[in-house]
Amino acid sequence: MHRVGRYIPPGTVTNPMDDTAGDSGSDALLDVMRMSKEERDAFLNDHGTAVLSLARGDEAYSIPVSYGYEADEGLFCIMLGYASDSRKRRWVNDTETATLVVHGMEEDGEADSVVVRGGLVEVDDETACYEAFSNNAEFTVLHESGSFVENTEFVVYRFDVETVEGRKFEHDAPEGIVDEGVGFAPSQD
């Protein structure tokens, strides 16, 4: 595992000189670690829902989705439902690089997340994606149009993956190499 920094939850009183929490106690600090490929694969297989973020220009559009994941192939698939004149379809068509965020949090505040970035490619042969869906997808038939299933067109996409990054927020994680500038308080080590 690779330590990338330290997360200080909002409201935590800290002393910036010694990397310990003040009034809240040192348990409030969470070490931020990179996940290994094996940890990412296990996390992605244990989950089946995520947030898909689409973009055009300086606007963003995010929706909850279910996904399928096949670790051996590095295959990420989603199925989207479209009503006629779908706003979601226009966003998908306009998006060059999409982001899929899978996350989970424990009662003690420890958390994990995996962020996948890449283009969405409509799938002609859906066989591999249906196998990936059978691994972990948690389908619902909810989308912004409120249309009945009979009036909905379902389209399967796969990610043309550019990057996959996993993070773990842990109490008392083992020491490792610090990688600053990742969007949270860097480690003082």
Side-chain angles (χ1 to χ4, degrees):
M1 212 177 311
H2 181 83
R3 181 173 171 184
V4 295
R6 181 151 277 189
Y7 172 75
I8 304 169
T12 303
V13 179
T14 64
N15 177 348
M17 301 305 288
D18 72 3
D19 207 22
T20 62
D23 297 340
S24 301
S26 62
D27 287 346
L29 295 175
L30 296 174
D31 289 310
V32 182
M33 310 290 292
R34 284 185 211 272
M35 288 182 184
S36 67
K37 179 176 180 346
E38 294 77 20
E39 289 172 317
R40 282 194 325 252
D41 289 346
F43 179 76
L44 290 165
N45 279 320
D46 287 345
H47 291 74
T49 59
V51 175
L52 175 67
S53 295
L54 308 169
R56 64 174 170 223
D58 62 353
E59 292 183 87
Y61 178 73
S62 298
I63 54 175
V65 297
S66 184
Y67 69 91
Y69 177 61
E70 170 51 54
D72 292 339
E73 302 296 322
L75 181 65
F76 291 88
C77 296
I78 61 172
M79 180 185 294
L80 299 178
Y82 297 124
S84 61
D85 194 35
S86 172
R87 174 174 52 151
K88 186 178 358 177
R89 184 190 299 268
R90 290 191 302 275
W91 276 93
V92 167
N93 290 339
D94 291 346
T95 297
E96 203 169 299
T97 302
T99 304
L100 186 73
V101 179
V102 183
H103 58 89
M105 181 174 277
E106 301 297 326
E107 287 183 24
D108 66 357
E110 291 192 346
D112 303 305
S113 67
V114 173
V115 177
V116 181
R117 291 178 39 88
L120 288 176
V121 178
E122 191 170 336
V123 174
D124 293 325
D125 180 3
E126 300 168 345
T127 305
C129 280
Y130 282 127
E131 288 178 24
F133 291 145
S134 72
N135 290 339
N136 63 311
E138 300 173 19
F139 284 105
T140 63
V141 189
L142 300 175
H143 52 92
E144 91 269 0
S145 73
S147 295
F148 291 105
V149 174
E150 305 83 51
N151 301 329
T152 302
E153 176 189 3
F154 292 96
V155 179
V156 176
Y157 296 90
R158 68 168 175 78
F159 265 82
D160 184 11
V161 176
E162 295 171 12
T163 62
V164 178
E165 294 186 12
R167 298 273 191 268
K168 298 172 68 79
F169 296 77
E170 299 179 335
H171 297 287
D172 300 321
E175 293 299 315
I177 300 170
V178 176
D179 180 11
E180 296 187 19
V182 290
F184 44 84
S187 174
Q188 300 296 314
D189 297 341

